């Protein structure tokens, strides 16, 4: 199976440890706890389980206006690559909300983008697949979804 694909799974089919990771992230985001250790202790998982899965599971929220996804890319410092990434987003009718690019170090830069995906786009993974296929893109990591 391709690791870059995304799935929607009913809660009852999700392993308990993943649900506990989501709960721990919610505790941290709400600032009810300060440390990962506190959150892990409250929900009953190890810190290592939290770190292992924290970037791989997010709650699914339907939204009439669309969904906002924040993701990070690691890219080569190639002139025009950012433009190609933005074109992939635009041609899929997604709206760019924020862009942040780090200063390249050793020819590698990090980009963080927040995009709003309209409700009519059923498979947001198409956008990420197109971006990941660009020459010079090392990887994409989804940081948050709303």
């Amino acid at each position: 199976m391709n690791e870059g694909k995304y799935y929607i799974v009913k809660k009852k089919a999700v392993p308990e440890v993943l649900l506990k990771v989501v709960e721990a992230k919610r505790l941290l985001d709400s600032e009810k706890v300060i440390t990962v250790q506190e959150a892990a202790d409250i929900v009953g998982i190890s810190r290592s389980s939290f770190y292992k899965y924290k970037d791989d599971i997010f709650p699914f929220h339907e939204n009439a206006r669309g969904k906002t996804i924040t993701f990070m890319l690691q890219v080569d410092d190639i002139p025009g690559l950012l433009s190609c990434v933005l074109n992939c987003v635009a041609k899929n009718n997604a709206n760019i909300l924020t862009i942040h690019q780090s200063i390249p170090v050793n020819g590698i830069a990090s980009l963080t983008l927040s995009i709003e995906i309209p409700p009519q786009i059923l498979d947001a993974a198409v956008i990420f697949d197109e971006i990941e296929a660009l020459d010079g893109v090392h990887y994409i990591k989804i940081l948050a979804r709303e």
Side-chain angles (χ1 to χ4, degrees):
M1 282 204 175
N2 182 346
E3 280 189 44
K5 297 295 177 191
Y6 301 92
Y7 300 92
I8 295 178
V9 180
K10 287 186 180 182
K11 183 177 179 180
K12 68 181 183 178
V14 177
E16 186 177 351
V17 67
L18 296 178
L19 296 174
K20 289 181 177 185
V21 168
V22 170
E23 179 61 17
K25 288 170 54 173
R26 188 190 64 72
L27 289 170
L28 289 163
D29 290 342
S30 69
E31 297 181 355
K32 290 183 180 178
V33 296
I34 296 173
T35 67
V36 170
Q37 185 65 56
E38 287 176 295
D41 288 345
I42 288 171
V43 300
I45 59 173
S46 66
R47 264 189 19 226
S48 63
S49 291
F50 176 82
Y51 285 115
K52 181 176 182 180
Y53 298 116
K54 73 178 180 70
D55 295 327
D56 295 324
I57 184 157
F58 299 91
F60 176 76
H61 300 286
E62 293 213 35
N63 187 336
R65 190 162 176 243
K67 55 189 163 232
T68 301
I69 299 179
T70 301
F71 60 100
M72 192 215 42
L73 304 136
Q74 187 176 64
V75 298
D76 289 330
D77 184 24
I78 299 172
L81 184 55
L82 176 58
S83 178
C84 291
V85 169
L86 299 180
N87 282 333
C88 286
V89 172
K91 84 175 191 181
N92 284 287
N93 298 316
N95 186 30
I96 298 165
L97 302 174
T98 63
I99 303 169
H100 179 269
Q101 181 176 350
S102 70
I103 295 172
V105 176
N106 296 326
I108 305 287
S110 293
L111 295 170
T112 305
L113 288 103
S114 291
I115 61 174
E116 183 179 46
I117 298 177
Q120 64 268 24
I121 295 180
L122 300 176
D123 189 6
V126 170
I127 297 170
F128 300 115
D129 289 343
E130 284 184 28
I131 292 170
E132 207 162 29
L134 294 171
D135 285 337
V137 174
H138 294 235
Y139 66 84
I140 294 179
K141 183 185 245 183
I142 295 175
L143 301 175
R145 294 181 215 178
E146 291 183 43

